[in-house]
Amino acid sequence: MTDWNQMSDAEFRKEVRRFFETEYPAELRNLSHRPKFAEIEHWHKKLHAKGWVAPAWPAEYGGMGLNAAKLLIFYEEQQRWGIVRGRDMGVQMVGPLIIKYGTQAQKDYWLPRILSCETIWCQGYSEPGAGSDLANLRTRAALEGDEFVINGQKIWTTMAHDSTHIFMLVRTDPNAPKKQQGISFLLARMDQPGITVRTIKTLAGEEEFCEVFLDNARTPRENLVGEMNKGWTMAKALLSFERIFIGSPNLAQNALIQLEGFARGRGAFEDPVFRDRFAQAALDVEDHAALYTRFADQLKRGETLGSDVSMLKIWVTETFQRITELMVEAAGPDGGTLGPLQVGNVGMDVLSSFYKARPTTIYGGANEIQRNILAKAVLELPD
């Protein structure tokens, strides 16, 4: 078994880049939509055969066991090559929680099935009235014998219609004195009579998000991960890594490259006002990349990230939005056209990029919430 951490960072980056550039299907690069598993199953099988499905998992559980420095390189190379996020919520979210909090029986049963995608997961967190303020969730689970009976509703559940299982936060003690208390972490099958899924069509015409209705849905008691009523602690367990990966500069960097090529083909750089706005966006991207490097270096040194990491998510998503707005401007009267616009031999779906940028300031904790975190935890401003 290869110990990737013994390689130099440069050697590791070269190895990862070679594999991605050689093996990743060209038709899947920089997809504008979240694919169903059937679209990317052949790529997942390649990763699984190579042992690269779970780069952050310990090697003893079938992962690559990468340290923080190598893990950042792995994800940076994925983003650089336009590798689409697969059905990775099992690997990125529920798997690490099972490794940290699960019983040995849960590890033995669930982890191999997550790696192989025998189980495909969706995240049941957000609810109507409990999005960024997740502790307000109202979905309840009552223990009846050896089963939990679950009632409530989840919303914005990504790819629920293409999932076999759901991991969710539920309220198991409605009388807890604080709203963060009395919450538990459950696993459940999606193919049962008590669960109804309705897709939500986006502005771009895609059906990526879903509503999930739970009407006396059931799951065995052994599908409780961690302690009863301690789910809130688990929900925050991976927060630092989630924030830094959401705040990666690649989102804005790739958009800027696309904008420059498209704008030159459309002659937009002949306008001095456009040139000035492009230069400002380019400087924002460079400044953000420098800030990202600072936080990445903290992880490489084994340090815990502080609340100031929220700056990354705010900066990259709002810069990304401004860049896509410039794309629409550069398209002129074609800016409202859905579908690829030709520039030479290259097609650019300007409107799709614009739509894709809209929710980025909301998911992963709305930017308003991130600003509140900075105000209270970093600047120590009064409520």
Side-chain angles (χ1 to χ4, degrees):
M1 182 179 295
T2 304
D3 185 350
W4 302 105
N5 296 321
Q6 294 301 311
M7 299 174 66
S8 70
D9 286 355
E11 289 173 331
F12 180 70
R13 187 181 295 275
K14 183 178 179 180
E15 173 69 16
V16 172
R17 181 172 294 187
R18 183 204 62 78
F19 178 75
F20 287 161
E21 292 186 357
T22 303
E23 301 295 333
Y24 188 68
E27 66 273 14
L28 295 181
R29 288 190 67 191
N30 296 307
L31 289 182
S32 60
H33 67 282
R34 181 73 68 88
K36 290 188 175 181
F37 181 67
E39 296 178 66
I40 55 171
E41 184 175 4
H42 54 304
W43 169 242
H44 181 89
K45 287 181 177 178
K46 281 187 179 182
L47 287 177
H48 191 236
K50 195 171 176 64
W52 281 21
V53 171
W57 288 18
E60 64 186 287
Y61 297 117
M64 295 175 71
L66 300 184
N67 61 30
K70 297 295 191 298
L71 189 60
L72 286 170
I73 290 171
F74 189 90
Y75 287 130
E76 286 167 1
E77 287 302 310
Q78 276 190 327
Q79 292 172 330
R80 184 194 66 85
W81 197 242
I83 294 178
V84 68
R85 278 190 62 184
R87 300 310 317 280
D88 59 0
M89 288 190 181
V91 169
Q92 297 283 13
M93 303 188 76
V94 69
L97 287 173
I98 291 174
I99 289 171
K100 186 171 183 178
Y101 297 100
T103 64
Q104 189 59 50
Q106 288 172 335
K107 294 173 186 177
D108 292 342
Y109 182 81
W110 293 112
L111 297 182
R113 289 167 170 80
I114 291 171
L115 291 176
S116 66
C117 265
E118 181 181 339
T119 59
I120 302 174
W121 294 84
C122 60
Q123 178 192 41
Y125 278 18
S126 294
E127 300 181 6
S132 294
D133 190 7
L134 184 59
N136 275 330
L137 66 88
R138 296 183 179 181
T139 296
R140 294 191 180 190
L143 193 57
E144 295 184 3
D146 292 330
E147 289 185 317
F148 286 97
V149 180
I150 310 162
N151 285 279
Q153 179 186 354
K154 299 294 181 178
I155 198 166
W156 310 121
T157 309
T158 303
M159 302 302 286
H161 59 309
D162 190 44
S163 299
T164 63
H165 289 73
I166 184 170
F167 60 95
M168 56 186 145
L169 295 176
V170 296
R171 193 164 297 283
T172 44
D173 182 2
N175 299 315
K178 295 183 179 180
K179 63 182 182 180
Q180 288 85 359
Q181 299 171 346
I183 294 173
S184 298
F185 192 97
L186 293 182
L187 316 177
R189 288 175 25 246
M190 293 292 286
D191 62 339
Q192 58 172 296
I195 294 183
T196 302
V197 177
R198 296 178 186 168
T199 58
I200 302 171
K201 186 170 289 189
T202 68
L203 283 173
E206 297 168 2
E207 294 184 340
E208 176 179 329
F209 303 115
C210 301
E211 296 175 283
V212 179
F213 299 89
L214 301 122
D215 183 13
N216 290 326
R218 293 177 176 268
T219 196
R221 183 170 186 162
E222 59 262 29
N223 285 349
L224 169 71
V225 182
E227 296 181 52
M228 179 89 86
N229 301 323
K230 300 294 184 182
W232 187 251
T233 299
M234 296 172 56
K236 300 188 298 180
L238 302 178
L239 186 58
S240 290
F241 267 117
E242 181 185 20
R243 284 181 181 172
I244 195 168
F245 291 132
I246 287 178
S248 167
N250 293 77
L251 184 68
Q253 287 172 339
N254 292 339
L256 188 71
I257 292 170
Q258 293 176 333
L259 170 62
E260 182 173 9
F262 182 77
R264 291 195 184 282
R266 287 276 173 152
F269 280 97
E270 297 173 9
D271 180 355
V273 175
F274 181 88
R275 290 200 304 270
D276 181 69
R277 295 177 66 189
F278 178 87
Q280 183 61 58
L283 290 172
D284 285 344
V285 170
E286 289 300 316
D287 287 344
H288 174 268
L291 181 65
Y292 174 84
T293 300
R294 195 192 89 190
F295 286 111
D297 287 342
Q298 284 182 245
L299 283 180
K300 291 174 184 178
R301 294 191 298 267
E303 300 173 8
T304 300
L305 297 179
S307 298
D308 53 346
V309 74
S310 290
M311 290 188 291
L312 287 179
K313 198 263 181 174
I314 295 171
W315 198 331
V316 74
T317 55
E318 294 182 5
T319 300
F320 179 42
Q321 287 186 347
R322 289 196 298 274
I323 291 172
T324 61
E325 289 162 9
L326 286 175
M327 286 184 187
V328 173
E329 285 190 28
D334 297 325
T337 303
L338 188 61
L341 301 175
Q342 289 300 123
V343 177
N345 295 323
V346 179
M348 176 73 68
D349 195 332
V350 169
L351 200 56
S352 178
S353 296
F354 177 83
Y355 287 150
K356 180 182 178 182
R358 299 309 100 191
T360 59
T361 53
I362 300 173
Y363 64 57
N367 284 12
E368 291 82 1
I369 299 298
Q370 303 302 323
R371 285 184 164 89
N372 285 344
I373 292 171
L374 293 171
K376 294 178 181 179
V378 179
L379 301 178
E380 298 183 350
L381 296 177
D383 291 340

